[in-house]
Amino acid sequence: MWLQFPLLSKSSLLQRLIVEASQGGADEVRVGGLPGGARAFEICAKFCYGMVVTLNPYNVVAARCAAEHLGMTEDVDKGSLVFKIEVFLNSGVFRSWKDSIIALQSTVALLPWSEDLRLVARCVDSIAAKATASPGSVVWSYTYNRKAASSDEIVEARRCSSSSSPAVPRDWWVEDLCELDVELYKRVMVAIKSRGDRMPSDVVGEALRAYAARWLPESCRRGEPADDDDDACALEVLETIVWLLPSDGDGSSPCGCSCQFLLNLLKLAVLVGAGELLREELMDRIVLQLHDASVSDLLIPAKPPAQTTYDVELVEALVGRYIRRAGLDDIDGEDVFETNGETDDPSLLALCKLVDGYLAEVAADPNLPVSSFVGLATSMPESARPSHDALYTAIDVFLKVRCTQICRRWRRGGSRA
């Protein structure tokens, strides 16, 4: 009987619905909950009637889910639509870098079908396998519009080979993945990182930096207050990036990310009110390379009820962690601060220069507590300060501001008298 109706002959669901309708005396059949909607059903119907079906990365996931829902499998009819779509996926979509990304993006609107059929997992595996392939084997097209990368090693990998065409950079895949939403991006990055040591930490760090630049609201990147939606988006992206940070790296960048990038994430964490655990994680990573920061990197805006312009307490905490990690807090104060010699530790010298420069910047804040100024100034071993010029400059600014405050108060008091 079913062979008289091509659509019915290839769909076990429709066959069952027709039987149930006839037994109930109904003359109408409703197909509810079809993944992909009318467009996906149109593809299935055209296939049944021998019409040309055009599959592409944008509609193949919807068609696959709809065909499964309709029961268009090999058990019902040989050479079924499910079989033909699987062939197209394996021989076409999953062999293509950009098609795999497009197909993955389309799975979001088709949950839970796309998850249950392992279409999400297969797209992720296809993307991760290509991203971790040797750059020399990359023959597919990819997007690469960035003028420069943040890692010298990555730039080095872009040098031309012996042929006239430039070598494929190790971070060739970074930009295309920036188009994924945060949940899919997290899943792909986890798959990439889980493939052994095929992906260096600095490349993962560059990928996270690019994703942050793509998705963090512009107002947040400028350190300005944002609306609630922007804050929620920024917090989700921030949490994902911190969670994905590599746990290792080379000596200059222990987690594959620059100190500047980590401090920018910390600024954002303060701005959007991120949880204590996330901030602690960032601070633990920052202190490993705090000496590489610049004064502008440390100018983190304070949030109310703080009275200062910048979050000086946060910088105090970072410097204190650095000192404790270096083991300098266990040394007797007289030995630390009154030693006649100079340290030969370049990291400690750089940190001391950074602290003095930071003090000179924040000293102009009339709300800066004396205890904070003195605490930062005396936090560094004397041996790390071969020159006191920058500290004297900071003290000079600090005292001038305080004298001006006192004079203004005195004048106001005199005029009232």
Side-chain angles (χ1 to χ4, degrees):
M1 180 182 77
W2 307 124
L3 295 177
Q4 300 175 18
F5 306 97
L7 186 59
L8 298 181
S9 69
K10 299 179 184 297
S11 169
S12 62
L13 174 65
L14 291 177
Q15 291 175 18
R16 178 172 57 81
L17 291 177
I18 288 293
V19 171
E20 292 174 354
S22 63
Q23 291 176 346
D27 56 2
E28 186 177 89
V29 171
R30 292 183 178 273
V31 181
L34 184 71
R39 290 186 177 180
F41 183 79
E42 181 183 1
I43 292 174
C44 297
K46 283 183 174 181
F47 172 80
C48 293
Y49 284 93
M51 301 174 67
V52 176
V53 174
T54 303
L55 293 176
N56 57 57
Y58 296 94
N59 65 17
V60 66
V61 173
R64 175 66 179 86
C65 294
E68 186 73 24
H69 182 65
L70 291 170
M72 302 178 71
T73 63
E74 290 292 283
D75 294 337
V76 179
D77 185 59
K78 295 300 181 182
S80 65
L81 182 55
V82 166
F83 173 79
K84 292 185 180 297
I85 291 176
E86 284 295 327
V87 171
F88 177 72
L89 284 169
N90 292 321
S91 63
V93 174
F94 296 148
R95 287 176 175 264
S96 166
W97 165 252
K98 290 193 173 181
D99 287 355
S100 294
I101 294 174
I102 293 170
L104 178 61
Q105 290 173 305
S106 73
T107 63
V108 177
L110 294 159
L111 296 170
W113 280 94
S114 57
E115 192 71 70
D116 294 340
L117 294 174
R118 295 199 72 254
L119 293 169
V120 179
R122 291 159 70 191
C123 287
V124 168
D125 289 344
S126 170
I127 294 168
K130 292 175 178 60
T132 54
S134 170
S137 64
V138 174
V139 293
W140 48 83
S141 64
Y142 56 86
T143 303
Y144 200 88
N145 294 322
R146 287 167 297 149
K147 294 181 179 179
S150 61
S151 167
D152 290 338
E153 287 192 16
I154 296 173
V155 173
E156 180 74 15
R158 297 191 192 121
R159 288 185 178 177
C160 293
S161 60
S162 56
S163 62
S164 58
S165 60
V168 175
R170 291 188 297 154
D171 58 341
W172 63 267
W173 51 273
V174 165
E175 265 181 272
D176 287 325
L177 294 195
C178 285
E179 298 307 311
L180 297 175
D181 69 37
V182 67
E183 287 301 322
L184 291 179
Y185 183 79
K186 179 192 297 185
R187 191 155 174 178
V188 170
M189 289 300 296
V190 168
I192 289 174
K193 292 174 63 180
S194 67
R195 296 176 74 90
D197 57 355
R198 300 184 189 180
M199 189 58 61
S201 295
D202 60 337
V203 181
V204 174
E206 171 63 11
L208 298 179
R209 187 204 62 77
Y211 194 78
R214 169 68 175 81
W215 285 102
L216 290 179
E218 186 176 353
S219 57
C220 292
R221 296 201 303 271
R222 291 196 303 263
E224 299 173 358
D227 57 38
D228 291 341
D229 289 340
D230 278 352
D231 274 358
C233 170
L235 182 57
E236 185 179 15
V237 173
L238 176 63
E239 289 174 341
T240 298
I241 289 174
V242 173
W243 188 73
L244 289 171
L245 286 172
S247 57
D248 57 352
D250 59 32
S252 61
S253 183
C255 66
C257 299
S258 68
C259 188
Q260 180 185 45
F261 176 61
L262 295 175
L263 281 165
N264 284 338
L265 293 181
L266 185 58
K267 286 182 185 179
L268 179 59
V270 172
L271 184 65
V272 301
E276 189 68 22
L277 288 177
L278 186 144
R279 292 174 61 175
E280 288 289 318
E281 173 70 17
L282 283 171
M283 291 174 69
D284 285 342
R285 291 175 177 272
I286 288 169
V287 296
L288 298 176
Q289 46 185 323
L290 184 60
H291 52 274
D292 290 329
S294 67
V295 172
S296 60
D297 294 334
L298 293 180
L299 296 179
I300 301 173
K303 290 197 71 174
Q307 299 297 312
T308 54
T309 303
Y310 299 110
D311 198 334
V312 181
E313 290 185 2
L314 184 58
V315 174
E316 284 186 273
L318 286 171
V319 173
R321 288 192 188 200
Y322 189 102
I323 295 298
R324 288 192 296 274
R325 181 175 176 273
L328 298 176
D329 59 326
D330 295 330
I331 302 175
D332 182 77
E334 183 176 353
D335 293 334
V336 173
F337 299 111
E338 296 184 6
T339 179
N340 294 323
E342 295 181 7
T343 179
D344 57 357
D345 184 349
S347 298
L348 195 56
L349 289 170
L351 180 64
C352 187
K353 183 178 180 181
L354 174 67
V355 168
D356 288 352
Y358 178 78
L359 283 171
E361 188 69 33
V362 300
D365 187 345
N367 295 318
L368 178 66
V370 176
S371 58
S372 294
F373 184 90
V374 174
L376 271 176
T378 58
S379 64
M380 303 307 300
E382 190 68 22
S383 60
R385 190 177 277 125
S387 171
H388 292 70
D389 291 350
L391 180 59
Y392 289 151
T393 299
I395 293 173
D396 183 54
V397 172
F398 185 81
L399 292 177
K400 283 181 178 179
V401 170
R402 294 311 178 278
C403 288
T404 301
Q405 285 180 302
I406 293 172
C407 290
R408 286 175 179 173
R409 290 172 186 167
W410 182 81
R411 288 170 182 169
R412 284 197 299 268
S415 62
R416 284 197 297 272

